[in-house]
Amino acid sequence: MASGRTQFCWRALGEFFGSFDNSEILDADVSVDVFVEKSGKYIGVDGVLSGTVTVQCDRCLSDLSLPVDVDFKLSIKFGEEPLEALPAEGGEREIVFVPEDDTDLDLSQTIYDYVCLSLPMQRVHPEGECDPETVRFLSVEADEAEEEAAAPVESPFAALKDLLK
């Protein structure tokens, strides 16, 4: 690659995320814009990921579309990764070590990781948008659980309590 700044653009679709084992992403349409700056031995990679991914709702198990909007910054270093990594400071670039004989930089794992990390821990539809059939079933179970909690519990020690009187 020539020195200077080069831009690469492509789309990561459902097939891309399906190629990773155990992917929670069912479908996707993510625009990937990567700017690579090369100057001597320095290579900097700035990436912008934007679009949507489809995952399963944690509450009703139907498809849920979530937005993705992530920026990442990498510095590529050639050679072995040191045994003791220095702590990264806020705002710094993530350092990626690449063997010196490699001529290609594969960003697929990096893109996958950043999209997955951008997803919320709890993935649920906004209130009232879950599958009504599933919500109806869940509300029946919740009502039964409340009734069981409200019912007096027959304790084997209840008879002993009366003996103290």
Side-chain angles (χ1 to χ4, degrees):
M1 195 164 90
S3 290
R5 189 170 171 95
T6 308
Q7 180 179 6
F8 299 95
C9 300
W10 65 92
R11 288 177 48 195
L13 302 175
E15 298 85 33
F16 170 77
F17 292 96
S19 66
F20 291 90
D21 291 335
N22 199 23
S23 180
E24 297 178 24
I25 298 173
L26 306 173
D27 197 12
D29 186 4
V30 178
S31 172
V32 181
D33 295 317
V34 176
F35 302 92
V36 180
E37 187 173 338
K38 182 177 181 193
S39 175
K41 285 192 164 190
Y42 170 78
I43 298 177
V45 178
D46 296 340
V48 178
L49 309 173
S50 60
T52 59
V53 295
T54 303
V55 295
Q56 205 173 43
C57 176
D58 290 339
R59 185 182 304 136
C60 69
L61 302 179
S62 14
D63 289 353
L64 169 65
S65 182
L66 294 173
V68 173
D69 189 17
V70 180
D71 298 340
F72 63 90
K73 295 178 183 287
L74 308 174
S75 286
I76 310 301
K77 290 195 175 186
F78 293 97
E80 295 281 327
E81 185 171 356
L83 295 176
E84 286 188 28
L86 297 174
E89 305 227 353
E92 283 190 20
R93 294 176 168 273
E94 182 179 347
I95 298 172
V96 177
F97 289 89
V98 177
E100 289 189 36
D101 57 343
D102 276 4
T103 57
D104 296 329
L105 178 62
D106 184 5
L107 292 176
S108 58
Q109 185 67 50
T110 303
I111 292 167
Y112 175 79
D113 291 343
Y114 274 102
V115 169
C116 288
L117 288 172
S118 75
L119 298 177
M121 291 286 289
Q122 190 174 28
R123 301 167 190 152
V124 293
H125 288 102
E127 194 64 38
E129 291 185 22
C130 277
D131 180 22
E133 186 66 27
T134 305
V135 171
R136 187 175 59 81
F137 177 74
L138 290 174
S139 64
V140 168
E141 282 188 353
D143 291 344
E144 290 174 359
E146 288 176 9
E147 288 175 11
E148 287 178 14
V153 177
E154 290 293 327
S155 170
F157 300 105
L160 295 176
K161 187 177 180 184
D162 292 336
L163 290 176
L164 293 176
K165 292 182 182 177

